[in-house]
Structure formats: structure tokens, C-alpha cells
Amino acid sequence: MDPFRFGGIPTRVVFGHGTLAELPGEIERLGRSRAVVVATPRQRARAEALAARLGARAAGVIAAAAMHTPVAVTEAALAELRRLDADCVVALGGGSTTGLAKAIALRTDLDQIIVPTTYAGSEMTPILGETRDGVKTTQRSDRILPETVIYDVDLTLGLPVGLSATSGMNAIAHAVEALYARDRNPIVSLMAEEAIRALAGALPAILRDPGDRAARADALYGAWLAGTCLGAVGMALHHKLCHVLGGSFDLPHAETHTVVLPHAVAYNAAAAPDAMARVARALDAPEAARGLFDLAASLGGPTGLAALGMPAEGLDRAADLAAAGSSWNPRPVERAPIRRLLEDAYHGRRPAGAA
Ligand code: NAD
């Protein structure tokens, strides 16, 4: 057994069907009484219905969350928060909405209760990515980690099938990279393998029947585990590539993860054989990279970067950016093989296996 450190997982988690009903009690448990509900503009009606259910415990609604957490949106929300005299933040939505709650908490130290409606996993991490003037920066802080997460499976029943597939693959990516993280540890690795198993089993069932309550519960359970992995250990090449492609080429978050993951795994396969064996076992597939590619393809997810709007002439720059810096990866990150990886991902080729 390799030596390891394990820091514990302080976030309180409430999981089940209909658990949104427990929100008033969870606000009270934190000693708070005036929650502001944040959401994206598209989910305003849902946020307003939730605020109405909270009655006197609701200070108001801010339906302004946007992808990549623009600082200008956060600053406007802070002004509104002061006007509303709120004493905690409830986020109802996906990773973008959680991002706004985290950005508010970073600046105010207000308590957060996150109610996730996708599988992105941000609610379990002390990580915040923000954009200012088109530049995305990422930071970690204990202030960012939410106090409470309420997983209500019923809220995910209406998550469109396409978004369920790509968001689920996004979650699987956190778990895969946790298995070969430099600071991996036995508990997080158990959670990672279980996350992949739960999601890989649930997503095809959701494709067949989006209202399958048991499959939706398994997927959300997997997303919780995967988000916990993301928050607990460091990520590697796959997340770096997605950061570059999302940040510099404005590619959509979950779809980009779906396309890149099999190729990043193929790149790392020979350098992380134990992790690969666990990924393959969790997928019930003969080999990790092709197993992930086949899963994404079977879900009808995108398989090539070209279809996501990646310009062919941007591949060289993306390779430069990905190879720059000194972030850790089980296999050294070298420009020439990364450029080949991007070419394969661009065309949506099925990985050949260990590179
Ligand atoms: P998202 O939050 O942008 O949601 C995508 C769209 O789906 C939005 O329009 C949203 O309103 C809608 N939506 C959400 N839930 C829905 C539901 N149940 N039914 C119907 N529509 C729904 O996308 P995401 O993939 O959840 O999150 C992506 C963002 O989260 C990115 O900005 C990414 O950087 C960030 N993220 C951060 C971390 C972290 O640890 N900091 C982790 C994962 C993702």
C-alpha cells in the first residue's frame, strides 16, 4: 500500500426523492433565516416557486447565473444580496448556478445550500472557476466549499437526455482522473470506481426511459461520488485539456469532457495500469479508453470536437496551451503526442488503446 493523506469530507449531504422539502429545516439547522435563491435565467420560474415555498425564510431570487461564473454577474448579485439583506444562499441548478453561489460565498463567507439539478459535481468541491474579461482563473478555498448539499432525485427527472448523457460523462471524468491522481488515496479510489459503475449502469437506462426513478437515483449518487473525488484529489491531463478547450475556444463544458475523456485515458493508459484496470472493471468493458468511447457513443453523445465548433486551425494553439506549464500527469505531457490526441478527438476517432 502506498502512503497517503485523507482530509475528510465536511459537506453535509441530504440525498433522496423529494428531499427539497427538507430545505427549510436545513436553513434552520445552519442558524439562518433569510435565504436568497440563485438560478440561471432559464430556471427563474423554478427558483421563484422555491422561494414561494420558503415563505418568510426567502429573501428573494437572483436568476442571473451564467456559464464560467463571470465576475460582473457576481458583483451585480452581491449588490442585490445586500439590498435583500440575505443571510445565506440557496443554489438551484447545475454547475453554473453553483458557481455563482460559490463566488458569493468566497466574498461574503455566507453559508451555501446547493440543490444540484445536473451531474457536474461542483457542489462537492472547494474549487471556483471565474471569468473576467474572457480570462478564466481557478482557485481553491475552504470558503468556497458548500456547507450543505440537498440531492433531490425528483429534480433530475426532467434533465434532458442529451444533457444527462454529457453531464454524466463529465462526472465520470472526475472519477477516472481521481483513480490516477498523484494524491490519490484508498477511500477516494473506492468512491471513484463506484461512481463510474453507478453512472455507466444508469445512463443507458436513462436514455431508454428518462423517467426511470431508480436509474436517476443511481446517476445522482454517482455524480455525488464523482464530485467528491474532484474536490478531494488533484486532476490531470483530461481536466487541463478541457480547461484549455473551454476557456480559449469557448467549447461547451460537459460535451467537451465527453469527447476528450477516452483520448486522455488512452494517452495515460500505459502509465497508470492499475487505474485503467479499475475503470475497465467499473465499465464492465475489456479496456478503459475504448470502453469510455463506446459508452459515450451508445448514449448518442458527441464524439468529435469538430461537431462542438472547434476550429481545425485552433488545434496547434490548443496543443501549445495544454503542453505549457507544469501540471502533473501520470505520463509526461509532451506537445507532439498531445497534438495527435487532439487530432483524434477532433475527428472523433475511436482510441486505439494504450498510446
Ligand atoms: P449548467 O449549470 O451551465 O447547466 C446547463 C443548462 O442546463 C443551463 O441552461 C441550465 O439552466 C440547464 N439545466 C440545469 N439543470 C436542469 C434540469 N434539471 N432540467 C433542465 N435544464 C436544466 O451546466 P453544468 O454542466 O451543470 O455545469 C457547467 C459549469 O460548471 C461550468 O462552468 C463548469 O466550469 C462548472 N463546474 C465547476 C466545477 C467546480 O468544481 N468548480 C465542477 C464541475 C463543473
Side-chain angles (χ1 to χ4, degrees):
M1 168 93 42
D2 294 329
F4 62 87
R5 310 272 181 280
F6 177 70
I9 302 160
T11 299
R12 173 176 165 83
V13 170
V14 177
F15 187 101
H17 291 270
T19 44
L20 188 58
E22 295 177 38
L23 178 58
E26 292 299 325
I27 293 172
E28 223 164 84
R29 197 173 181 281
L30 291 169
R32 307 297 164 204
S33 57
R34 284 184 64 77
V36 70
V37 181
V38 300
T40 59
R42 251 173 70 181
Q43 293 196 310
R44 173 183 285 279
R46 243 177 161 180
E48 281 173 350
L50 180 58
R53 267 174 75 175
L54 287 177
R57 289 193 187 83
V61 168
I62 301 178
M67 195 85 149
H68 306 308
T69 326
V71 171
V73 170
T74 302
E75 283 168 355
L78 285 171
E80 181 64 0
L81 199 85
R82 279 190 288 273
R83 193 185 69 77
L84 295 169
D85 193 26
D87 66 4
C88 66
V89 185
V90 171
L92 176 67
S96 299
T97 304
T98 303
L100 177 57
K102 287 174 157 183
I104 290 170
L106 177 67
R107 290 162 176 83
T108 60
D109 211 13
L110 287 185
D111 287 341
Q112 306 170 65
I113 302 179
I114 311 292
V115 186
T117 60
T118 71
Y119 306 134
S122 175
E123 64 280 358
M124 291 305 299
T125 83
I127 306 164
L128 172 65
E130 296 186 289
T131 31
R132 189 191 290 272
D133 303 326
V135 180
K136 187 165 180 177
T137 52
T138 301
Q139 58 185 307
R140 267 182 180 264
S141 159
D142 289 346
R143 277 187 169 211
I144 294 170
L145 185 71
E147 279 66 23
T148 304
V149 177
I150 298 180
Y151 288 105
D152 185 340
V153 179
D154 295 350
L155 298 178
T156 64
L157 292 174
L159 187 65
V161 165
L163 193 52
S164 300
T166 53
S167 192
M169 292 301 298
N170 182 194
I172 288 176
H174 308 327
V176 167
E177 291 229 293
L179 283 168
Y180 54 63
R182 179 168 47 176
D183 54 351
R184 64 188 174 276
N185 66 67
I187 293 225
V188 169
S189 295
L190 281 174
M191 289 195 287
E193 190 174 336
E194 173 72 354
I196 299 167
R197 190 202 58 72
L199 283 155
L203 296 175
I206 289 170
L207 185 71
R208 286 191 296 275
D209 174 10
D212 182 332
R213 289 165 58 83
R216 287 291 189 183
D218 279 354
L220 196 58
Y221 162 66
W224 164 53
L225 293 172
T228 305
C229 294
L230 175 67
V233 295
M235 296 287 114
L237 174 67
H238 169 76
H239 281 75
K240 170 101 186 251
L241 283 170
C242 292
H243 185 87
V244 164
L245 294 168
S248 301
F249 299 93
D250 211 23
L251 300 194
H253 180 82
E255 290 87 341
T256 304
H257 274 266
T258 305
V259 170
V260 171
L261 183 61
H263 300 283
V265 165
Y267 186 95
N268 283 331
D274 293 350
M276 296 304 150
R278 293 184 82 160
V279 172
R281 185 167 67 190
L283 292 171
D284 196 18
E287 192 269 332
R290 286 189 293 272
L292 290 164
F293 183 91
D294 293 346
L295 175 62
S298 75
L299 296 172
T303 49
L305 293 175
L308 302 185
M310 179 70 192
E313 61 278 13
L315 293 174
D316 280 327
R317 199 168 133 244
D320 290 342
L321 291 168
S326 58
S327 46
W328 186 84
N329 189 58
R331 173 182 166 190
V333 177
E334 290 163 356
R335 192 192 180 284
I338 292 295
R339 179 65 179 81
R340 287 197 293 278
L341 179 166
L342 287 167
E343 188 76 27
D344 287 343
Y346 180 81
H347 292 290
R349 295 180 185 130
R350 188 169 184 258

